[in-house]
Amino acid sequence: MTHSPDAAPILFFDSGIGGLSVLRAVQAALPNAPIVFAADYAGLPYGTKTEAEIAARVPALLGRLVERYRPRLVTIACNTACTIALAHVRAALDVPVVGTVPAIKPAAEASQTGVIGLLGTAATVRQGYVDRLHADHAANMKLLRHAAPELVGAAEAKMRGEAVDPLVYVRAMGGLTEQTSGDLLDVTVLGCTHFPLVEDELRAVAPNMQFVDGAAGIARRIRYLTQNQHWPDTPAEGIFVSTGPLDALESLRPALSTFGLTQIKSL
Ligand code: DGL
């Protein structure tokens, strides 16, 4: 689709709008980067799917997207997809792939108490990938994990301008703080890209908690990987492409346009 190398986009991929929390950081670092944001609404939520379903679905969809949009780089802005399928995607694509995995390392560096929390999808919190992040970066710390699938729906609803029951946020934080040693928890990893979109609401429930996510690190990584590349002189119109029905995206248009995503298409 794209012919001039300057116009080759960065392709973002998530099950829904969660990846906007990563896009926000990348746009701050690279304001003129052409963007294609792909949301697999036909597959949302990923968090309740099996490893086999995700490992089959994500590389296949990304293959089609890369063929259509010829991106210079792919960002899988989804912890669930990455903790399960990052290696499969890298093996299947011939473009650089930047992944999003729970920010356990920065959380461990920030914790004073040695007790850190992870909020993610059910699929993410059970992954061996998380065990390895814990062992590699926080071996001397206690990691409390809690699956908070309700927060995915809450973030989607918020971005559509819909009201969300505030008890959703109370339940999510309670899922960590009510565990053994939960009273010592001082840093919580938002290990699903939807969750930073409701960080203010979570902070209202837990005002002394420090929340961390991977978006800033991903933006730094993308800037590094593209440091010798050229970008257009002005920001181009961004493309939002969904695997689901287009009429279901009408209520998202205002939020998407604040990210410059004004062309809405189906895959
Ligand atoms: N945004 C996704 C993540 O980072 C998953 C949301 C879902 O589809 O369950 O894990």
Side-chain angles (χ1 to χ4, degrees):
M1 182 201 127
T2 301
H3 301 295
S4 142
D6 287 12
I10 298 176
L11 174 71
F12 283 73
F13 179 85
D14 186 27
S15 53
I17 42 78
L20 294 179
S21 66
V22 180
L23 176 59
R24 183 165 63 190
V26 173
Q27 285 182 322
L30 297 168
N32 292 348
I35 301 299
V36 174
F37 187 107
D40 183 14
Y41 273 112
L44 179 86
Y46 278 7
T48 53
K49 292 194 162 33
T50 65
E51 282 72 4
E53 284 173 296
I54 290 171
R57 185 174 186 93
V58 173
L61 275 175
L62 277 165
R64 282 171 63 196
L65 287 159
V66 165
E67 205 173 283
R68 181 177 297 188
Y69 292 106
R70 304 272 169 216
R72 65 180 79 197
L73 183 142
V74 168
T75 307
I76 305 182
C78 175
N79 292 262
T80 311
C82 285
T83 53
I84 295 170
L86 185 56
H88 303 269
V89 171
R90 287 201 167 125
L93 299 183
D94 57 2
V95 285
V97 179
V98 176
T100 310
V101 297
I104 288 174
K105 186 178 181 202
E109 286 163 2
S111 177
Q112 303 288 315
T113 63
V115 180
I116 57 179
L118 169 63
L119 288 178
T121 65
T124 295
V125 300
R126 68 171 180 254
Q127 290 313 308
Y129 203 118
V130 172
D131 301 339
R132 289 193 291 280
L133 289 171
H134 183 195
D136 290 350
H137 305 297
N140 55 346
M141 299 200 169
K142 186 152 188 179
L143 175 67
L144 308 178
R145 308 178 190 201
H146 177 62
E150 281 187 312
L151 293 182
V152 175
E156 291 282 337
K158 179 182 173 185
M159 298 308 275
R160 290 173 191 271
E162 294 165 11
V164 176
D165 178 357
L167 283 178
V168 164
Y169 307 112
V170 175
R171 281 195 289 269
M173 291 314 300
L176 290 174
T177 56
E178 285 160 22
Q179 293 183 37
T180 308
S181 308
D183 53 329
L184 292 173
L185 179 66
D186 62 347
V187 183
T188 292
V189 179
L190 299 177
C192 166
T193 53
H194 279 76
F195 299 176
L197 300 174
V198 292
E199 186 172 331
D200 290 346
E201 289 79 354
L202 292 168
R203 182 165 291 114
V205 175
N208 298 323
M209 188 70 63
Q210 188 176 339
F211 291 99
V212 299
D213 65 70
I218 291 162
R220 279 195 300 276
R221 181 78 188 141
I222 293 178
R223 192 148 69 164
Y224 172 76
L225 290 173
T226 58
Q227 62 189 330
N228 297 319
Q229 299 179 11
H230 296 285
W231 301 101
D233 296 332
T234 52
E237 260 189 280
I239 297 172
F240 186 89
V241 55
S242 170
T243 56
L246 283 190
D247 52 2
L249 300 176
E250 274 314 305
S251 57
L252 276 179
R253 273 184 189 276
L256 295 178
S257 71
T258 65
F259 292 85
L261 298 170
T262 47
Q263 294 190 41
I264 300 190
K265 299 175 187 283
S266 52
L267 180 66

